[in-house]
Amino acid sequence: MADGIPLFDVSPAELREAIRSGRYAGPTPGLARGFAQANVVILPDADADDFAAFCRLNPAPCPLIARTDPGGVEPGPAAPGADLRTDVPRYRVFRRGTPDSEEPTDIRTLWRDDFVGFLLGCSFTFENALRAAGLPVRHIDEGRNVAMYRTNVSCEPVGRFSAAMVVSMRPYAPEHIDRVADVTARYPRMHGAPVHVGDPEALGVNDLAHPDFGDPPVIYDHEIPVFWACGVTTQLALAAARAEIAITHSPGHMFVTDLPEERFREDPRP
């Protein structure tokens, strides 16, 4: 809600305006329904090519969908008129790999002419397709951020960029899992099909009740955890790279594009 107005059915431009004006600074699951959400990474041009190569080698957690020219604040056709400095609800600022304790809602005072912005696909994009198929999305139903976990699965390194993959988790009844996998597989540039179903310890996740990012999940006794690759992986890569400065979204606080979700839907059948 912003000023008492629900944000589920507003346009992306209206949502970004609410964010830019300071009327909304929360997580974005389910907001501006029908439009793709994106992870944001902003870093100096000197590190941009290696970061792009890291994304290309690790497309499941880091599906790259847009890149700006140095100094550009508008992410081109993805969101004409938008501003990467103001249109994310909360940012994380990394200095030499360490995130600041404060998460600003505006980074105009930090902006540099050599900054390059990247947008990467986000699993929030396929959640409307899950709900349309009659499959619940618990964190939206509960008004929470999705739960995200560090794993023991290593990404392919490039230069100074390396990371263990981060995953998001949504619980489902066993009889729903095949349908869940089918629906999400149709969005490969938004993390696609699950990377793991069941035993979290197989991923090195020892305590589902205490995620590394996001909110603790609500899981019913009959449900099984289902895991997807997550764009927060890039934040671990930025920490490892120890760039002079780098900026991302706060986990779960995404940039909402003008690109319809259906633009990213693909039919996996031959």
Side-chain angles (χ1 to χ4, degrees):
M1 301 280 286
D3 295 340
I5 302 171
L7 296 175
F8 294 105
D9 293 317
V10 299
S11 71
E14 290 171 326
L15 175 59
R16 293 193 300 266
E17 173 55 31
I19 292 167
R20 188 182 308 137
S21 65
R23 290 181 293 122
Y24 186 75
T28 56
L31 303 190
R33 284 186 290 216
F35 293 91
Q37 299 199 24
N39 297 271
V40 175
V41 173
I42 299 164
L43 72 178
D45 187 35
D47 297 304
D49 285 346
D50 274 357
F51 178 76
F54 177 81
C55 293
R56 287 193 296 271
L57 282 181
N58 299 282
C62 309
L64 187 58
I65 60 174
R67 174 178 176 171
T68 70
D69 293 329
V73 300
E74 180 181 314
D83 191 327
L84 290 178
R85 303 171 300 176
T86 58
D87 294 358
V88 171
R90 289 194 180 278
Y91 297 86
R92 294 188 91 196
V93 180
F94 291 78
R95 303 177 195 271
R96 300 292 181 190
T98 300
D100 288 355
S101 58
E102 302 248 339
E103 294 189 340
T105 59
D106 183 319
I107 57 168
R108 282 177 290 186
T109 59
L110 298 174
W111 193 259
R112 298 178 3 179
D113 289 342
D114 68 332
F115 274 165
V116 176
F118 293 87
L119 298 183
L120 299 94
C122 172
S123 59
F124 289 173
T125 300
F126 60 54
E127 290 178 338
N128 285 328
L130 288 169
R131 301 181 91 190
L135 298 161
V137 180
R138 182 68 43 70
H139 61 273
I140 293 179
D141 294 341
E142 296 284 339
R144 298 175 178 232
N145 198 354
V146 71
M148 295 161 272
Y149 306 86
R150 300 170 189 253
T151 74
N152 58 11
V153 179
S154 296
C155 294
E156 291 290 334
V158 174
R160 294 184 296 162
F161 293 96
S162 63
M165 185 167 65
V166 174
V167 292
S168 61
M169 190 282 295
R170 297 160 183 82
Y172 284 97
E175 63 270 21
H176 290 162
I177 289 173
D178 285 348
R179 290 176 60 216
V180 166
D182 180 66
V183 169
T184 59
R186 296 173 186 273
Y187 295 85
R189 290 187 290 164
M190 297 290 152
H191 301 307
V195 295
H196 182 70
V197 175
D199 182 11
E201 292 189 1
L203 293 175
V205 177
N206 298 317
D207 187 355
L208 287 179
H210 295 89
D212 295 291
F213 310 96
D215 293 330
V218 175
I219 307 175
Y220 300 152
D221 288 342
H222 66 289
E223 291 179 326
I224 295 172
V226 183
F227 300 91
W228 283 264
C230 177
V232 175
T233 301
T234 61
Q235 301 194 18
L236 302 191
L238 293 176
R242 296 182 58 80
E244 174 191 355
I245 187 170
I247 302 171
T248 72
H249 63 287
S250 178
H253 297 66
M254 318 306 293
F255 178 84
V256 180
T257 76
D258 288 354
L259 302 173
E261 292 170 351
E262 286 304 294
R263 175 169 176 169
F264 295 95
R265 185 180 184 278
E266 301 178 17
D267 191 338
R269 292 174 299 182

